[in-house]
Amino acid sequence: MSVVRLHQVVALLGDFPALAGVDLSVEAGEVVLFQGANGAGKTTLLRLCAGLVAPTAGTAEVLGHDLHEQRRAVRRRVGLVGHGSGLYGDLTVSENVAFWAGLVGAGTAEVEQALHRLEVAPRLHDVAVGRLSTGQRKRTALASVVVRRPELWLLDEPHAGLDQRGRDIVDQLIREAAAAGATVLVASHELDRVGSLHPRPVTLAGGIIREADHAS
Amino acid sequence: MGYVVAGWIIGIGGFALYAGYLLRRGRRLASHVPADRRRWMTADE
Amino acid sequence: MSTRPSTGSTVTRVIGIAALIALALLLCAAFWWSEPDAQQGDAVRLFYLHVPVAILEYVAFIIAGVGSVMYLWKRSVFGDVMAHAAAEVGVVFCALTLITGSLWGRPTWGTYWDWGDVRLVTTLILLLLFVGYLALRQVPGDRHTRSKQAAIVALVALIDIPIINRSVEWWANRTLHQRSTLIEGKIEDINAFATFLGFLACGLVLSWFLVHRFRVAWLEREVATHGLERALSERRAEGAEV
Amino acid sequence: MLRDAGRIAAKDLRIERRSRVLTTQVLPFALIVIVLFAFALDASTDALRRFTPGLFWVTVLFAAVLSVQRIFAVEVEDGALDALRLSGVDPASIFLGKAAAIATQLVVVEVLLGLSVVVFYDAEPDDVVLAAVAGVVAAGGVAAAGSLYGALVVNLRVRDTLLPVLLLPVLAPVLIAATRAYGDAFGTSAVDGWAWLGVLGLFGVIYLLLGILTYGVLLEES
């Protein structure tokens, strides 16, 4: 079953065509790595798959839902780690994660588990997110996505701001998600592999997917 | 009576100004759009 | 016939010429053919312009409301463009209503403005609401998002109007002004022919404005779409180079 | 739906307790406005007492604009609004949660303002119950409209200037009705203040319905 099926998708940011006709098909359980320079359209492509950006042309389906009509149904099933952390600087680490967990029906145990898995030190749990370092904040943001148990992971530069240990945790997370049957789309302008995993590379440039990658 | 005349001048003047503004805007935009895309605007018979 | 591209067409030229003739006739009717009013005196001559503009302003805003519903309900682009056009024309009519009304009020009531008059106050707030609508409309950004937001603002404004009207009426009662009924009494007295002519002339002006404004908005969309196509091909070329 | 709304409202109020924007910025601002009115009206206690209801509610509306801006600013600071949209929560819950948080803040503002007009304008309410009920009902209506318009402008770069232009005219009936009700409560005008509560209530109900119906459309794209 295709988890993502895009055909000639155009998406606008204001009046700028960030995606200029993307064709892409991703099967369940696949790990795909989007590569490309800044401004190639990686972030918009992930946000489109998350149902946050509407396609203006083309046919687009994610997790079986049409992106023109059913974006809300898509949103609750995906987990997006983007440039914004989606955290409130005035709330503590555990308050933030607990808030997002509460909205998706996850309990305190899952919050603890997610923070443990991202190796956010317990002494930081009661510290306001605004006072965390970039790396710790990123880990907290990842934890708040982990509690959602997404079927489709959308990771935009997931390694940015993390130390080596943090990067290893992210790689581990991706491996486990894929092993559990989830699909993972990673965008990065520097990586060509994810830990020991060799994901399918797809290169974006100028809002379209480079020809060579269609063959693979 | 002065108020009445002033009212008419502003009223008709307002119509005229807005009409002129619309026409000018229309002319400027229309020159950027090819004739076959200018629906209803059959100015060039 | 001019071959320069414009928003004109045969139909709008006919409407335009008819509007000019009707306005000229209305001017004659208001100033020479009609008699001064028993109570208002010569001030009534401004009424032949003021009353039709005031009534038609509501017609324009109702059209804006209908267009907004069409957009929200059916995603009708036509409705969206129509709502934008009607709102702008409505604001013009609304402003003229307030100006002519004040200039009528000065000789009649002895003051430009009277907070005790429900219509005056309601019309002013209506103007402010739609000025906000136009302000939102001109903020750059995603077209569909903006259209949806604007449609909601227009509907909220129209829903707000009866509440404002009722509360101002209730509120103004304390001043014991009975201006509204005073005006209603007057309508009966003024020259029926001039009144009819006023509605005809202003109705033609309104339709001319609406058609032209609609076409301007339509052309803006076309220009934007064209710009988008160019941006798309540029973007694709950028991708092919790499 | 209501449970999620409660979560969102509680979250916003907790952020408020931590950041203290209400107590250190909005409340002082409201006090400043009260002082400015005294200067504008030539320090005449008689005039101030007579116009207390109107001045009170104008100040509340100004404070409401700030409160709405703040409540939505926390969502755009670090992409939380996207996370909220991704959470799959019913948009109506977000609307109600935001409205509840704004309403709570407004009630706090009203209490402080009530005390300051008693002290500074020598205005004492004859009918405290009416003042309290009208205050709460009006806060609800203002909050509902504020929550609606706050979400409408949240993703615009010009949101801070556009919000008052859109919101304040819409709140005109609230200002009129609440001022009338307070005119009765403070004994400055001989009207039936309880009757004006109907207008406030109607306004609140209409905007609650509008918000519940349109929030999905607003958050879908914005």
Side-chain angles (χ1 to χ4, degrees):
Chain A
M1 189 199 86
S2 286
V3 171
V4 176
R5 196 180 300 149
L6 307 180
H7 179 66
Q8 283 301 305
V9 167
V10 174
L12 302 181
L13 293 181
D15 47 13
F16 175 71
L19 300 182
V22 169
D23 292 304
L24 178 70
S25 180
V26 178
E27 301 301 312
E30 254 192 296
V31 179
V32 176
L33 176 64
F34 294 123
Q35 295 165 313
N38 290 329
K42 301 187 297 289
T43 296
T44 308
L45 181 52
L46 289 185
R47 288 174 59 82
L48 177 103
C49 292
L52 289 176
V53 172
T56 39
T59 54
E61 234 178 62
V62 170
L63 294 163
H65 301 288
D66 181 6
L67 281 185
H68 288 281
E69 300 297 332
Q70 303 161 301
R71 285 190 296 280
R72 256 190 78 200
V74 172
R75 285 181 200 155
R76 70 185 75 207
R77 295 170 62 186
V78 305
L80 173 73
V81 180
H83 295 301
S85 68
L87 303 173
Y88 301 101
D90 292 306
L91 298 185
T92 67
V93 168
S94 38
E95 281 167 349
N96 263 297
V97 182
F99 172 68
W100 295 115
L103 290 183
V104 294
T108 330
E110 278 140 305
V111 173
E112 288 297 322
Q113 205 183 330
L115 285 172
H116 179 72
R117 199 161 155 208
L118 270 300
E119 296 184 10
V120 181
R123 68 183 162 81
L124 293 175
H125 289 193
D126 292 325
V127 173
V129 164
R131 294 169 56 191
L132 293 182
S133 69
T134 314
Q136 300 293 358
R137 191 189 307 215
K138 185 91 177 194
R139 291 184 188 207
T140 311
L142 281 159
S144 71
V145 173
V146 166
V147 292
R148 296 169 56 98
R149 300 175 184 280
E151 295 163 57
L152 171 63
W153 290 74
L154 303 164
L155 306 174
D156 195 357
E157 306 285 357
H159 293 111
L162 287 177
D163 55 18
Q164 192 50 51
R165 180 65 197 142
R167 289 166 185 232
D168 292 345
I169 296 171
V170 170
D171 293 345
Q172 178 67 22
L173 214 62
I174 294 172
R175 242 192 323 272
E176 282 173 21
T183 313
V184 187
L185 309 186
V186 186
S188 172
H189 63 274
E190 49 181 9
L191 295 178
D192 52 5
R193 59 188 189 88
V194 175
S196 58
L197 214 68
H198 288 274
R200 174 181 138 202
V202 170
T203 308
L204 276 159
I208 50 177
I209 286 171
R210 248 197 3 211
E211 287 304 318
D213 292 321
H214 285 300
S216 65
Chain B
M1 196 64 179
Y3 292 107
V4 175
V5 173
W8 272 92
I9 290 173
I10 292 174
I12 303 286
F15 282 167
L17 281 177
Y18 186 63
Y21 164 72
L22 278 186
L23 282 177
R24 249 184 310 124
R25 239 169 110 185
R27 288 242 163 83
R28 211 187 53 233
L29 283 165
S31 57
H32 294 299
V33 177
D36 58 313
R37 302 280 290 271
R38 273 184 267 132
R39 283 214 270 159
W40 315 295
M41 291 161 241
T42 50
D44 343 30
E45 313 91 331
Chain C
M1 272 255 158
S2 154
T3 52
R4 270 210 294 160
S6 77
T7 44
S9 63
T10 316
V11 178
T12 62
R13 288 205 190 92
V14 171
I15 297 177
I17 290 165
L20 286 177
I21 295 172
L23 275 178
L25 287 174
L26 176 63
L27 225 96
C28 297
F31 280 96
W32 290 284
W33 303 341
S34 67
E35 295 298 315
D37 185 74
Q39 281 162 288
Q40 294 181 32
D42 280 330
V44 75
R45 300 186 193 280
L46 193 48
F47 245 48
Y48 302 124
L49 180 66
H50 170 74
V51 173
V53 171
I55 304 281
L56 289 168
E57 149 219 327
Y58 280 92
V59 173
F61 286 137
I62 287 167
I63 293 175
V66 171
S68 302
V69 171
M70 279 169 68
Y71 183 74
L72 283 182
W73 191 18
K74 299 268 183 191
R75 297 265 178 92
S76 155
V77 172
F78 177 84
D80 181 46
V81 174
M82 183 169 85
H84 190 180
E88 189 179 297
V89 176
V91 164
V92 171
F93 267 57
C94 199
L96 290 178
T97 302
L98 288 170
I99 295 171
T100 53
S102 303
L103 288 167
W104 173 85
R106 188 68 177 74
T108 315
W109 295 342
T111 169
Y112 287 112
W113 194 261
D114 181 358
W115 287 103
D117 188 75
V118 182
R119 294 177 192 199
L120 228 51
V121 179
T122 309
T123 307
L124 179 62
I125 295 178
L126 188 58
L127 176 71
L128 294 174
L129 287 168
F130 274 92
V131 164
Y133 173 91
L134 294 181
L136 173 67
R137 272 279 177 177
Q138 61 89 45
V139 176
D142 181 67
R143 188 194 288 168
H144 299 287
T145 310
R146 198 67 71 251
S147 301
K148 276 185 195 170
Q149 293 168 332
I152 289 172
V153 168
L155 288 182
V156 169
L158 289 178
I159 289 169
D160 215 40
I161 278 302
I163 315 177
I164 293 170
N165 192 289
R166 297 309 301 167
S167 37
V168 174
E169 190 167 297
W170 211 1
W171 169 65
N173 266 345
R174 95 205 127 110
T175 59
L176 302 176
H177 283 149
Q178 290 299 318
R179 308 291 196 208
S180 296
T181 46
L182 194 82
I183 293 168
E184 273 154 23
K186 286 297 169 212
I187 297 277
E188 312 297 321
D189 302 337
I190 58 176
N191 189 310
F193 172 67
T195 310
F196 166 75
L197 206 54
F199 273 100
L200 182 71
C202 295
L204 287 168
V205 171
L206 179 76
S207 349
W208 192 91
F209 280 175
L210 283 176
V211 172
H212 275 270
R213 184 62 185 85
F214 180 89
R215 289 176 180 176
V216 165
W218 191 268
L219 289 177
E220 276 171 349
R221 278 185 65 92
E222 286 295 332
V223 168
T225 310
H226 182 66
L228 180 63
E229 279 162 12
R230 207 179 47 216
L232 258 176
S233 51
E234 276 171 15
R235 183 91 165 123
R236 282 179 183 140
E238 176 195 333
E241 274 169 26
V242 181
Chain D
M1 183 169 105
L2 284 178
R3 180 188 287 189
D4 285 339
R7 283 199 177 100
I8 289 164
K11 178 264 298 174
D12 278 333
L13 292 173
R14 180 175 280 166
I15 291 175
E16 184 41 53
R17 271 209 309 279
R18 298 274 163 74
S19 66
R20 306 229 170 113
V21 169
L22 183 75
T23 45
T24 62
Q25 292 170 29
V26 180
L27 290 180
F29 168 77
L31 262 180
I32 291 166
V33 175
I34 287 290
V35 173
L36 291 182
F37 279 140
F39 293 153
L41 291 178
D42 215 12
S44 148
T45 308
D46 271 348
L48 288 171
R49 190 187 304 123
R50 196 148 51 91
F51 296 125
T52 291
L55 302 180
F56 177 91
W57 282 105
V58 168
T59 313
V60 170
L61 293 196
F62 287 162
V65 171
L66 292 188
S67 168
V68 171
Q69 283 171 341
R70 169 64 187 161
I71 286 272
F72 283 93
V74 299
E75 302 295 347
V76 284
E77 236 162 51
D78 204 8
L81 190 64
D82 279 342
L84 215 46
R85 289 162 74 205
L86 283 168
S87 66
V89 170
D90 188 335
S93 305
I94 303 177
F95 166 73
L96 291 174
K98 289 282 173 194
I102 298 167
T104 312
Q105 297 200 2
L106 286 182
V107 169
V108 174
V109 171
E110 285 170 8
V111 169
L112 175 98
L113 278 179
L115 292 174
S116 23
V117 295
V118 168
V119 174
F120 294 123
Y121 294 175
D122 191 27
E124 275 192 46
D126 307 332
D127 191 343
V128 180
V129 180
L130 173 60
V133 174
V136 172
V137 176
V142 173
S147 176
L148 178 60
Y149 278 92
L152 202 139
V153 300
V154 68
N155 272 322
L156 305 179
R157 264 169 300 157
V158 292
R159 61 175 168 268
D160 290 343
T161 39
L162 190 56
L163 178 69
V165 172
L166 291 177
L167 180 60
L168 290 177
V170 164
L171 293 178
V174 176
L175 181 61
I176 292 172
T179 302
R180 294 281 88 196
Y182 269 40
D184 183 15
F186 281 83
T188 55
S189 56
V191 293
D192 182 6
W194 290 99
W196 282 97
L197 266 179
V199 177
L200 290 176
L202 179 71
F203 184 92
V205 169
I206 287 176
Y207 276 84
L208 280 175
L209 286 177
L210 276 173
I212 289 170
L213 290 176
T214 60
Y215 234 56
V217 176
L218 282 181
L219 289 183
E220 186 62 28
E221 297 292 8
S222 59

